[in-house]
Structures are given as C-alpha cells and as structure tokens.
C-alpha cells in the first residue's frame, strides 16, 4: 500500500492530525485493534485549559512547571498552554458536548490535583469516549482518510536516516505487507502494559516508542512513569481506575486487616497527592506481602455513593463488590508515560519524515511528572502543529519510495506459545517489583540482569518463529522495559515521580535522560 501520510494509531493524536491533514493530503490510518480502542477512549477526568476569567496562562504554566519538578521546557509549556482554548473550541465544533453549568451557558470547569484553578473541561466521567467518538465521526466523513483496523505496525523502514514507511501485520489475513508513505506519524499512545498493574487498555504496549528506538530515534526521560494510586484489584478486572474523587468524597485507605495507614505518610492522610499515596500503598504492600489494600467509603450514605459514582458502582458490582457495603480492593497502577520519543512542539524527531505525537512523544511539557489532564491538551496542540509541518513537506512534492519486502527466512509456526506468555508475565512482574514506584540501585541492577537474559531469549524466538501480534508486543514491551531500566539507572537522583532510595536528593544539575540506539 502507498499513501501521502501514514498515521499509526487512532487515539486523539492520530485522529486529530488525520482530520487536519485530510485538507491537503491522502491519509491512511492503521490501528491494531478496533478503531476506538485506545487510551483516549478511557480518559475520565478531562482536558486542562485556561477558560475561566479568574485563571491565566501564567497560572497554568506555573502549575505545569511545578508538577514537572524542574524538567519542563518552559517555552514548550507556554506554547501548549496558550493554544489550549483554541483546540477546545475546535473539539466543540467537531461535536464534543462538554458538560455545562448555569443552564448550559457555561462550561463546567473542574479542578484536579496540582491545579490552582478550575480549568478541566470534561464530559461527565467519560470525556475520552466522547472525544474518540466525535473524532471518529469526523474521520468517517472525510473520503480521503482510510482507516484500517486490525493492522499492526511491526517495524519502521528507515534508510539514510529518512523514514520510508513501515511493515504492517494484517491480523485478518495473517500476513505482513509494506506500507510506503511520504510522511509517517507515530500516534501509538502509552506503554502501561510494561507493568503488571496498569490503568491502560491492552493496546498500550509502547509499540511506537519501541519502533522509533529500533530505528535510531532519541528516546527521552523514560524513567518518569506515572502511577495512579487506586486501580481496582480483581483477577478479571484488567484495568479499571477508581477515580481520586472517591478519596475526595471521604474514602479512606486501609490495609486488608482494616488498619488505616495514610496518617503515617502525610498530614493530608488519604487525600495526600497522587505520588505520595502511590508510594505509601507500595510500601504497605511490600511490608505486608498482601496483594492489595482497600479503599473504604462504606460509611457514606449508600444512595449518595450510587449517585456520585454510578460507573464505579456498576463496575464494582460486576465483580461482586458492593462499594456501599464492602471496601474496594485497590492497587496502584502504571498510568502515564511522561517520557517518549524526543520531539519538538511539532512532533519532529531526529529521523526525517518521521513524526511522533501524543503520549508516545516527549516534547518537554511534562518534565519529571505530568500535571493531571495536560496529556489530552498536548496531543491536540502537537497534532495540529504537526499537520502544518506535514503540509509544507507535501507541498514540496516528495516521492514515495518503495522498499524490500519483509523477510521471515525459514521461520515456522510456533508450537510453544507458552514461552511468549511466560516472557510477557515475567517482564511485567519484574518491572512492577524492581522498577516500580520505589526504586533502588540493587533493584535496578537486578532488573537489568533479568531483562538482558529475557531479551536474548526473545530475540532467538522472534527469528525462529513466524510473528504473531503477541510476539510483536512482547518484543516491544521488552525493549521498553530495557529503556526504562537504563534511564532509571542513568538518573542518579530522586526527582518528580522517579524515586530511588539510594539517591533520595535532587542533583543541582537538571538534565534530561537521553537514550539512542546505534543503528
Ligand atoms: C484510564 C485513563 C484515564 C485517563 N484520563 C485522562 C484525563 O482525564 N485527561 C488527560 O489529559 N489524560 C488522561 N489520560 C491519558 C490520556 O488518555 C492519553 O495520554 C491520551 O489519550 C493518549 O492519546 P494518544 O492518541 O497518544 O494514544 P491512544 O489514545 O492510546 O491511541 C493509540 C493508538 O495507537 C494504536 N496502536 C498502538 N500500537 C500500534 C501498532 N503497533 N500498530 C497500529 N496501531 C497501534 C492503538 O490501537 C490506538 O488506536 C488517561 C489515561 C487512561 C488510561
């Protein structure tokens, strides 16, 4: 297949870019499962933007920089923040029906942790779904955008440091084909699946970051992985977030035996900031060996709980947990990848004609910790800018270059898929245990040793057997695990969400962690 612009991923970043780029080019979007399946679809809280008269760009910039703990790029923060209101309006024009107050006259702006003002626009508690649906509708109405579901990007094709497109696995036909493009855009989202517990859906295996790394792009600040303190713990509940609002309404964290513990960690107890709560739960679990802690809101009026948290109540009931009577079992979970492929504010990477947008990219907005609801904002602004750069490239009339087909050599069908499953599990567990919320030099060294062995095993397996989507993802989470471990080892301090017991203080010199593979 050939196209002007190839977009890999159908979350907010990929879809918004495709809509803009369809004004001047033919666009192909490939997406590895059903088109709505993305982190975007599960975003609950909303989008941060300066929209109230009491708020200001300066305040939003300041809050973002405060969360980022010295590592944000101020110029990037300013540009992204200032462009927020414009893109919120564009989403409204595309049909996104944000929640309103005052008989529908004003947007309902909520406040989240780390924000000094009410500035989060939302659609009840399903903002992401509403955005995803409206963007998909807009895409469907544009004939020069083609969407291919169940098409998995395997590897980028880069020649003389220019991207020519990628190899794609078609899950329905079970075959690999070449997709050549003038411009290739990675919008593949986050990488929560690298960890045992995550709020992310299954698609979040960091494929784009891994592909860009293998192709020689610079990867930045991967040690900064944000953990959400409370994800539902149940063998069949894969990734359901229990919103911070439950603690906001008085929910108390307790051990399985019913002992409150947050008083020992912070004066605000269960209402302490996100990373402190995540660290405290991690510590309690390590001390007790328990599988989870509990979030107790049973003392509140049952009708209030059901009305205030209809989604959470419904989801918990599906697993036989009545949150009005039983404490909810929770664990912290990997939530947001603050690092990614190093880009500028247009998504430009150090490989020609390869752009990275959304959660896979790292512009410098988040620094060492992301301010809540800034990620959807970043995805919008960077996608928009990226489309403008694409327009000037397309105007210069570049040619599409074909490349050699995928080589599987003598690969045969695997009769031992259990190896893939075991390796998946081992990586996610070792990342959780050794490279999680609280790190130490010893734990990181242990993780490095294990991932090196696993990588050897996976590489053997990868070339001996025909590829499958599971194998593609396994290779990617292994690559990302290694990059995260290496980045964490390189940072000899504790900063933002990277906490190392052996380096509890901050260094005077503030710098990004950059990792680049020699190709
Ligand atoms: C539970 C939850 C709640 C959140 N709440 C908020 C919030 O309130 N506010 C906020 O700002 N942020 C929130 N976030 C973060 C935010 O949702 C994400 O950062 C953002 O949606 C990422 O958008 P994206 O377009 O970069 O990636 P995604 O939306 O994840 O889309 C990635 C796309 O790439 C595709 N893909 C991946 N790999 C491949 C491959 N190899 N081949 C083909 N396709 C591929 C996927 O199938 C998917 O379509 C939340 C995240 C989660 C998980």
């Amino acid at each position: 297949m050939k196209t002007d612009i190839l977009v890999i991923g159908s979350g907010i970043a990929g879809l918004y870019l495709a809509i803009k780029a369809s004004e001047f080019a033919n666009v192909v979007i490939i997406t590895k499962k059903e088109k709505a399946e993305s982190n975007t679809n599960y975003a609950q809280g909303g989008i941060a933007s300066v929209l109230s008269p009491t708020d200001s760009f300066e305040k939003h910039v300041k809050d973002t920089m405060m969360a980022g703990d010295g590592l944000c790029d101020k110029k990037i923060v300013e540009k992204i923040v200032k462009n927020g209101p414009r893109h919120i309006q564009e989403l409204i024009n595309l049909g996104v029906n944000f929640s309103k107050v005052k008989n529908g006259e004003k947007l309902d702006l909520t406040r989240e942790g780390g924000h000094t003002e009410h500035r989060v626009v939302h659609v009840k508690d399903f903002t992401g779904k509403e955005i995803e649906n409206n963007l998909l509708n807009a895409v469907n109405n544009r004939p020069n955008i083609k969407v291919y579901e169940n098409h998995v990007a395997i590897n980028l094709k880069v020649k003389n440091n220019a991207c020519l497109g990628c190899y794609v696995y078609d899950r329905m036909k079970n075959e690999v084909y070449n997709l050549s493009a003038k411009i290739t855009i990675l919008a593949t989202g986050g990488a929560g699946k690298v960890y045992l517990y995550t709020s992310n859906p299954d698609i979040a295996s960091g494929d784009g970051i891994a592909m860009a790394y293998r192709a020689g792009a610079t990867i930045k600040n991967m040690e900064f992985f944000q953990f959400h303190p409370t994800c539902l713990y149940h063998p069949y509940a894969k990734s359901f977030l229990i919103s911070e609002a439950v603690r906001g309404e008085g929910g108390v964290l307790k051990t399985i035996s019913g002992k409150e513990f947050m008083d020992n960690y912070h004066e605000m107890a269960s209402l302490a900031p996100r990373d402190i709560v995540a660290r405290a739960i991690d510590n309690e679990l390590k001390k007790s060996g328990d599988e989870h802690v509990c979030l107790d809101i049973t003392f509140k009026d049952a009708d209030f709980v059901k009305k205030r948290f209809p989604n959470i109540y419904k989801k918990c009931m599906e697993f036989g947990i009545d949150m009005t009577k039983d404490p909810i079992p929770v664990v912290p979970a990997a939530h947001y990848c603050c690092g990614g492929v190093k880009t500028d504010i247009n998504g430009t990477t150090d490989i020609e004609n390869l752009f990275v947008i959304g959660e896979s990219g790292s512009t410098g907005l988040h620094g060492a910790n992301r301010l809540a609801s800034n990620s959807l904002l970043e995805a919008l602004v960077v996608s928009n800018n990226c489309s403008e750069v694409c327009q000037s490239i397309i105007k210069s009339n570049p040619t599409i270059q074909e490349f050699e087909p995928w080589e599987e050599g003598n690969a045969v069908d695997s009769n031992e898929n259990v190896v893939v499953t075991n390796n998946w599990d081992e990586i996610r567990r070792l990342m959780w245990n050794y490279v999680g919320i609280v790190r130490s030099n010893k734990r990181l060294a242990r993780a490095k040793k294990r991932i090196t062995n696993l990588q050897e095993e996976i590489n053997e397996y990868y070339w001996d057997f025909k590829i499958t989507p599971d194998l593609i993802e396994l290779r990617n989470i292994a690559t990302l695990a290694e990059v995260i471990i290496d980045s964490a080892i390189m940072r000899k301090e504790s900063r933002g969400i990277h906490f190392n017991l052996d380096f509890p203080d901050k260094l005077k010199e503030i710098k990004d962690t950059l990792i680049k593979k020699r190709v």
Side-chain angles (χ1 to χ4, degrees):
M1 214 193 304
K2 292 177 201 166
T3 184
D4 292 333
I5 299 181
L6 162 63
V7 178
I8 307 175
S10 56
I12 188 171
L15 296 176
Y16 199 60
L17 177 125
I19 292 165
K20 303 253 159 190
S22 66
E23 306 282 323
F24 55 83
N26 288 319
V27 182
V28 164
I29 302 176
I30 59 164
T31 188
K32 70 177 172 181
K33 290 197 170 158
E34 303 77 42
K35 50 193 167 192
E37 196 51 12
S38 58
N39 272 1
T40 302
N41 208 35
Y42 297 90
Q44 296 177 352
I47 311 179
S49 189
V50 176
L51 296 158
S52 113
T54 59
D55 199 0
S56 69
F57 293 136
E58 290 72 27
K59 285 188 196 168
H60 190 177
V61 169
K62 199 171 161 207
D63 293 346
T64 303
M65 308 271 301
M66 184 69 93
D69 205 5
L71 262 181
C72 299
D73 180 331
K74 191 168 183 203
K75 284 201 179 106
I76 297 274
V77 179
E78 284 171 346
K79 282 186 191 158
I80 290 181
V81 161
K82 283 184 184 161
N83 276 290
R86 177 186 146 198
H87 294 293
I88 299 295
Q89 186 55 51
E90 288 204 30
L91 285 184
I92 294 171
N93 297 347
L94 285 167
V96 178
N97 188 14
F98 288 112
S99 297
K100 308 219 179 49
V101 285
K102 296 216 166 159
N103 293 329
E105 282 166 32
K106 279 177 132 190
L107 288 171
D108 181 23
L109 302 175
T110 59
R111 194 171 151 187
E112 290 185 337
H115 290 274
T116 53
E117 283 287 339
H118 287 255
R119 63 166 74 101
V120 180
V121 281
H122 62 101
V123 185
K124 297 183 183 153
D125 61 353
F126 48 82
T127 311
K129 204 181 190 84
E130 171 82 3
I131 294 174
E132 183 75 23
N133 287 345
N134 279 285
L135 292 179
L136 281 172
N137 276 344
V139 161
N140 287 342
N141 292 331
R142 285 161 172 77
N144 55 337
I145 307 178
K146 299 263 179 298
V147 184
Y148 295 89
E149 295 182 316
N150 294 309
H151 286 229
V152 189
I154 310 171
N155 260 359
L156 296 168
K157 178 66 195 177
V158 173
K159 199 170 163 193
N160 302 327
N161 201 44
C163 187
L164 311 184
C166 77
Y167 293 104
V168 184
Y169 179 80
D170 179 338
R171 296 170 87 114
M172 296 299 141
K173 291 191 183 148
N174 242 333
E175 60 188 33
V176 179
Y177 68 93
N178 290 13
L179 215 165
S180 309
K182 295 174 181 169
I183 298 168
T184 301
I185 293 161
L186 290 169
T188 45
K193 294 297 283 188
V194 170
Y195 285 95
L196 187 60
Y197 301 113
T198 177
S199 66
N200 295 185
D202 284 350
I203 54 97
S205 48
D207 297 2
I209 307 175
M211 282 190 276
Y213 172 73
R214 286 196 289 274
T218 304
I219 312 298
K220 191 172 100 183
N221 290 344
M222 287 298 288
E223 67 276 31
F224 298 114
F225 218 107
Q226 192 176 64
F227 290 81
H228 195 285
T230 52
C231 214
L232 178 61
Y233 177 85
H234 187 278
Y236 300 120
K238 259 176 157 175
S239 50
F240 188 72
L241 208 68
I242 304 293
S243 159
E244 282 182 68
V246 176
R247 283 182 288 123
E249 294 293 352
V252 175
L253 285 160
K254 295 180 176 173
T255 60
I256 290 181
S257 56
K259 223 173 107 211
E260 291 183 28
F261 57 86
M262 277 309 300
D263 283 340
N264 305 331
Y265 296 92
H266 197 273
E267 59 195 12
M268 290 173 79
S270 289
L271 276 176
R274 207 182 256 197
D275 31 317
I276 310 247
V277 179
R279 229 173 274 155
I281 297 176
D282 183 71
N283 194 39
E284 288 297 319
L285 296 181
K286 287 216 166 80
K287 264 193 328 197
S288 64
D290 288 343
E291 297 272 304
H292 63 85
V293 293
C294 296
L295 183 54
D296 189 354
I297 194 160
T298 53
F299 54 88
K300 281 263 181 185
D301 176 64
D303 285 340
F304 167 81
V305 171
K306 286 183 205 167
K307 264 201 196 123
R308 177 68 182 83
F309 304 110
N311 267 342
I312 298 176
Y313 177 76
K314 189 168 156 253
K315 191 75 180 182
C316 287
M317 283 305 275
E318 281 172 27
F319 297 107
I321 304 158
D322 180 347
M323 68 190 278
T324 65
K325 295 192 186 124
D326 315 311
I328 309 168
V330 291
V331 281
H335 185 55
Y336 185 81
C337 182
C338 294
V341 183
K342 180 175 178 283
T343 73
D344 65 6
I345 197 164
N346 307 319
T348 314
T349 67
D350 39 21
I351 296 176
E352 212 181 309
N353 297 333
L354 176 71
F355 294 83
V356 182
I357 55 179
E359 193 170 336
S360 304
S362 175
T363 58
L365 175 73
H366 307 305
N369 194 4
R370 171 191 72 130
L371 182 66
S373 289
N374 260 356
S375 33
L376 294 172
L377 170 70
E378 182 190 44
L380 289 170
V381 177
V382 179
S383 303
N384 171 78
N385 292 357
C386 182
S387 79
E388 287 168 7
V389 178
C390 290
Q391 187 167 20
S392 56
I393 297 176
I394 295 290
K395 262 191 194 155
S396 71
N397 216 8
T399 51
I400 296 179
Q401 291 185 47
E402 292 188 22
F403 47 94
E404 67 283 1
W406 179 254
E407 276 273 350
E408 274 207 310
N410 297 324
V412 291
D413 285 325
S414 161
N415 55 1
E416 272 192 86
N417 283 327
V418 65
V419 179
V420 176
T421 319
N422 283 349
N423 286 346
W424 255 95
D425 192 58
E426 210 173 318
I427 294 171
R428 299 182 70 206
R429 209 167 273 281
L430 88 85
M431 288 302 286
W432 185 256
N433 288 334
Y434 301 142
V435 201
I437 298 162
V438 176
R439 299 157 181 183
S440 72
N441 289 348
K442 215 171 172 180
R443 288 180 199 164
L444 291 176
R446 226 175 251 171
K448 176 71 187 172
K449 219 170 166 179
R450 291 189 184 191
I451 196 70
T452 309
N453 287 342
L454 279 163
Q455 284 282 44
E456 264 176 36
E457 222 173 285
I458 293 165
N459 280 338
E460 252 171 53
Y461 199 82
Y462 198 82
W463 296 115
D464 284 351
F465 296 106
K466 279 193 180 156
I467 53 160
T468 61
D470 279 351
L471 201 46
I472 294 169
E473 288 183 347
L474 171 66
R475 193 171 75 137
N476 291 336
I477 66 160
T479 301
L480 279 209
E482 190 161 24
V483 173
I484 295 171
I485 294 166
D486 287 344
S487 306
I489 290 174
M490 280 164 78
R491 189 162 291 282
K492 309 285 184 211
E493 61 171 346
S494 289
R495 181 182 295 280
I497 37 181
H498 169 76
F499 186 75
N500 184 333
L501 290 167
D502 295 304
F503 302 117
D505 301 321
K506 283 184 201 141
L507 291 175
K508 278 207 185 97
E509 194 192 358
I510 301 177
K511 61 176 183 184
D512 291 321
T513 310
L514 302 176
I515 292 196
K516 192 175 163 84
K517 187 174 184 232
R518 228 185 268 158
V519 286

Short mmCIF file of all heavy atoms in Angstrom, two decimals, residues 430 434-436 439-451 484-491 498-500 503:
data_model
loop_
_atom_site.label_atom_id
_atom_site.label_comp_id
_atom_site.label_asym_id
_atom_site.label_seq_id
_atom_site.Cartn_x
_atom_site.Cartn_y
_atom_site.Cartn_z
N LEU A 430 8.64 -8.26 36.77
CA LEU A 430 9.95 -7.73 37.22
C LEU A 430 9.94 -6.19 37.18
O LEU A 430 10.51 -5.54 38.06
CB LEU A 430 11.11 -8.34 36.41
CG LEU A 430 11.60 -7.74 35.09
CD1 LEU A 430 12.61 -6.64 35.34
CD2 LEU A 430 12.24 -8.82 34.25
N TYR A 434 10.73 -4.37 40.60
CA TYR A 434 12.06 -3.75 40.71
C TYR A 434 12.16 -2.34 40.11
O TYR A 434 13.11 -1.62 40.38
CB TYR A 434 13.12 -4.63 40.02
CG TYR A 434 13.22 -6.03 40.60
CD1 TYR A 434 13.45 -7.13 39.79
CD2 TYR A 434 13.11 -6.24 41.97
CE1 TYR A 434 13.54 -8.41 40.31
CE2 TYR A 434 13.19 -7.51 42.51
CZ TYR A 434 13.40 -8.59 41.68
OH TYR A 434 13.48 -9.84 42.21
N VAL A 435 11.23 -1.99 39.23
CA VAL A 435 11.34 -0.69 38.56
C VAL A 435 10.02 0.07 38.71
O VAL A 435 9.60 0.80 37.82
CB VAL A 435 11.71 -0.86 37.06
CG1 VAL A 435 12.32 0.42 36.50
CG2 VAL A 435 12.65 -2.02 36.84
N GLY A 436 9.38 -0.16 39.86
CA GLY A 436 8.05 0.42 40.08
C GLY A 436 8.11 1.77 40.75
O GLY A 436 8.94 2.63 40.40
N ARG A 439 12.29 2.73 43.80
CA ARG A 439 13.40 2.01 43.18
C ARG A 439 14.63 2.06 44.07
O ARG A 439 14.73 2.86 44.99
CB ARG A 439 13.71 2.65 41.82
CG ARG A 439 12.51 2.57 40.89
CD ARG A 439 12.49 3.58 39.80
NE ARG A 439 11.27 3.42 39.00
CZ ARG A 439 10.98 4.11 37.93
NH1 ARG A 439 11.80 5.05 37.50
NH2 ARG A 439 9.87 3.91 37.28
N SER A 440 15.59 1.20 43.80
CA SER A 440 16.88 1.27 44.49
C SER A 440 17.93 0.77 43.50
O SER A 440 17.58 0.10 42.51
CB SER A 440 16.88 0.40 45.75
OG SER A 440 16.90 -0.97 45.37
N ASN A 441 19.19 1.08 43.79
CA ASN A 441 20.24 0.65 42.86
C ASN A 441 20.25 -0.87 42.70
O ASN A 441 20.42 -1.39 41.60
CB ASN A 441 21.61 1.10 43.38
CG ASN A 441 21.76 2.61 43.25
OD1 ASN A 441 20.94 3.26 42.59
ND2 ASN A 441 22.77 3.17 43.89
N LYS A 442 20.04 -1.57 43.83
CA LYS A 442 20.07 -3.03 43.80
C LYS A 442 18.93 -3.58 42.94
O LYS A 442 19.12 -4.46 42.11
CB LYS A 442 19.95 -3.54 45.23
CG LYS A 442 20.73 -4.78 45.51
CD LYS A 442 20.68 -5.04 46.98
CE LYS A 442 21.28 -6.38 47.32
NZ LYS A 442 21.24 -6.61 48.75
N ARG A 443 17.73 -3.02 43.16
CA ARG A 443 16.57 -3.50 42.40
C ARG A 443 16.77 -3.23 40.90
O ARG A 443 16.42 -4.06 40.06
CB ARG A 443 15.29 -2.79 42.87
CG ARG A 443 14.83 -3.26 44.23
CD ARG A 443 13.57 -2.52 44.64
NE ARG A 443 13.39 -2.63 46.09
CZ ARG A 443 12.59 -1.87 46.80
NH1 ARG A 443 11.89 -0.93 46.24
NH2 ARG A 443 12.49 -2.04 48.10
N LEU A 444 17.33 -2.07 40.59
CA LEU A 444 17.51 -1.73 39.18
C LEU A 444 18.56 -2.65 38.55
O LEU A 444 18.40 -3.11 37.40
CB LEU A 444 17.93 -0.26 39.02
CG LEU A 444 16.85 0.77 39.37
CD1 LEU A 444 17.39 2.20 39.28
CD2 LEU A 444 15.63 0.62 38.45
N ALA A 445 19.62 -2.95 39.30
CA ALA A 445 20.67 -3.83 38.77
C ALA A 445 20.10 -5.23 38.52
O ALA A 445 20.38 -5.87 37.50
CB ALA A 445 21.84 -3.90 39.76
N ARG A 446 19.25 -5.68 39.46
CA ARG A 446 18.61 -6.99 39.30
C ARG A 446 17.74 -7.00 38.04
O ARG A 446 17.76 -7.94 37.25
CB ARG A 446 17.71 -7.22 40.51
CG ARG A 446 17.86 -8.58 41.10
CD ARG A 446 17.03 -8.67 42.33
NE ARG A 446 17.86 -8.71 43.52
CZ ARG A 446 17.40 -8.63 44.76
NH1 ARG A 446 16.11 -8.43 44.96
NH2 ARG A 446 18.20 -8.72 45.77
N ALA A 447 16.98 -5.93 37.87
CA ALA A 447 16.09 -5.84 36.71
C ALA A 447 16.90 -5.85 35.42
O ALA A 447 16.53 -6.50 34.44
CB ALA A 447 15.26 -4.56 36.80
N LYS A 448 18.01 -5.15 35.43
CA LYS A 448 18.85 -5.06 34.22
C LYS A 448 19.37 -6.45 33.82
O LYS A 448 19.35 -6.83 32.64
CB LYS A 448 20.01 -4.09 34.49
CG LYS A 448 21.01 -3.96 33.36
CD LYS A 448 20.45 -3.22 32.16
CE LYS A 448 21.40 -3.26 30.98
NZ LYS A 448 20.83 -2.72 29.77
N LYS A 449 19.81 -7.19 34.83
CA LYS A 449 20.33 -8.54 34.58
C LYS A 449 19.24 -9.41 33.94
O LYS A 449 19.46 -10.11 32.96
CB LYS A 449 20.76 -9.15 35.91
CG LYS A 449 22.02 -9.96 35.84
CD LYS A 449 22.44 -10.27 37.23
CE LYS A 449 23.47 -11.35 37.26
NZ LYS A 449 23.88 -11.62 38.64
N ARG A 450 18.05 -9.34 34.54
CA ARG A 450 16.98 -10.22 34.05
C ARG A 450 16.50 -9.83 32.66
O ARG A 450 16.23 -10.69 31.84
CB ARG A 450 15.80 -10.18 35.02
CG ARG A 450 16.24 -10.86 36.27
CD ARG A 450 15.16 -11.12 37.23
NE ARG A 450 15.87 -11.70 38.38
CZ ARG A 450 15.30 -12.25 39.40
NH1 ARG A 450 14.02 -12.33 39.44
NH2 ARG A 450 16.02 -12.74 40.37
N ILE A 451 16.41 -8.53 32.41
CA ILE A 451 15.88 -8.13 31.10
C ILE A 451 16.91 -8.49 30.01
O ILE A 451 16.53 -8.84 28.89
CB ILE A 451 15.48 -6.63 31.05
CG1 ILE A 451 14.60 -6.33 29.84
CG2 ILE A 451 16.67 -5.70 30.98
CD1 ILE A 451 13.24 -6.89 29.89
N ILE A 484 13.47 1.77 29.95
CA ILE A 484 13.07 2.37 31.24
C ILE A 484 14.13 2.06 32.31
O ILE A 484 14.54 2.93 33.07
CB ILE A 484 11.67 1.86 31.68
CG1 ILE A 484 10.59 2.32 30.70
CG2 ILE A 484 11.34 2.34 33.10
CD1 ILE A 484 9.21 1.70 30.92
N ILE A 485 14.58 0.80 32.33
CA ILE A 485 15.59 0.41 33.33
C ILE A 485 16.87 1.24 33.13
O ILE A 485 17.42 1.81 34.07
CB ILE A 485 15.91 -1.10 33.24
CG1 ILE A 485 14.67 -1.92 33.63
CG2 ILE A 485 17.10 -1.48 34.12
CD1 ILE A 485 14.74 -3.40 33.26
N ASP A 486 17.33 1.31 31.88
CA ASP A 486 18.57 2.07 31.60
C ASP A 486 18.41 3.54 31.98
O ASP A 486 19.31 4.15 32.56
CB ASP A 486 18.94 1.96 30.11
CG ASP A 486 19.48 0.57 29.76
OD1 ASP A 486 19.85 -0.17 30.70
OD2 ASP A 486 19.51 0.22 28.57
N SER A 487 17.24 4.10 31.69
CA SER A 487 17.01 5.52 32.02
C SER A 487 17.02 5.71 33.53
O SER A 487 17.59 6.68 34.05
CB SER A 487 15.65 6.00 31.48
OG SER A 487 15.56 5.73 30.11
N ALA A 488 16.38 4.76 34.25
CA ALA A 488 16.31 4.87 35.72
C ALA A 488 17.71 4.73 36.32
O ALA A 488 18.04 5.40 37.30
CB ALA A 488 15.37 3.81 36.27
N ILE A 489 18.52 3.87 35.72
CA ILE A 489 19.90 3.70 36.23
C ILE A 489 20.71 4.99 35.98
O ILE A 489 21.51 5.41 36.80
CB ILE A 489 20.57 2.47 35.57
CG1 ILE A 489 19.92 1.18 36.11
CG2 ILE A 489 22.08 2.45 35.83
CD1 ILE A 489 20.37 -0.11 35.45
N MET A 490 20.46 5.62 34.84
CA MET A 490 21.22 6.83 34.49
C MET A 490 20.90 8.01 35.43
O MET A 490 21.72 8.88 35.65
CB MET A 490 20.92 7.25 33.05
CG MET A 490 21.70 6.44 32.02
SD MET A 490 20.99 6.62 30.37
CE MET A 490 21.63 8.22 29.90
N ARG A 491 19.69 8.05 35.97
CA ARG A 491 19.32 9.20 36.82
C ARG A 491 19.78 8.96 38.26
O ARG A 491 19.22 8.16 38.98
CB ARG A 491 17.81 9.45 36.77
CG ARG A 491 17.43 10.75 37.46
CD ARG A 491 16.07 11.25 37.07
NE ARG A 491 16.01 11.71 35.68
CZ ARG A 491 16.46 12.88 35.23
NH1 ARG A 491 17.00 13.74 36.07
NH2 ARG A 491 16.37 13.20 33.96
N HIS A 498 10.28 9.83 39.75
CA HIS A 498 11.35 8.83 39.85
C HIS A 498 11.92 8.91 41.26
O HIS A 498 12.52 9.91 41.65
CB HIS A 498 12.44 9.12 38.81
CG HIS A 498 13.68 8.30 39.01
ND1 HIS A 498 13.74 6.97 38.68
CD2 HIS A 498 14.88 8.63 39.53
CE1 HIS A 498 14.95 6.50 38.99
NE2 HIS A 498 15.65 7.49 39.49
N PHE A 499 11.73 7.82 42.04
CA PHE A 499 12.17 7.83 43.43
C PHE A 499 13.13 6.66 43.66
O PHE A 499 12.75 5.50 43.52
CB PHE A 499 10.96 7.73 44.37
CG PHE A 499 11.33 7.87 45.81
CD1 PHE A 499 11.64 9.12 46.34
CD2 PHE A 499 11.38 6.77 46.64
CE1 PHE A 499 12.00 9.25 47.67
CE2 PHE A 499 11.74 6.89 47.97
CZ PHE A 499 12.05 8.13 48.49
N ASN A 500 14.40 6.99 43.98
CA ASN A 500 15.41 5.95 44.21
C ASN A 500 15.92 6.08 45.65
O ASN A 500 16.47 7.12 46.04
CB ASN A 500 16.58 6.15 43.22
CG ASN A 500 17.63 5.05 43.35
OD1 ASN A 500 17.80 4.45 44.41
ND2 ASN A 500 18.34 4.80 42.26
N PHE A 503 19.42 7.37 46.12
CA PHE A 503 19.69 8.78 45.77
C PHE A 503 18.45 9.60 46.13
O PHE A 503 17.72 10.06 45.24
CB PHE A 503 19.96 8.94 44.27
CG PHE A 503 21.11 8.15 43.74
CD1 PHE A 503 20.92 7.16 42.79
CD2 PHE A 503 22.41 8.41 44.17
CE1 PHE A 503 21.98 6.44 42.29
CE2 PHE A 503 23.49 7.68 43.66
CZ PHE A 503 23.27 6.69 42.73
#
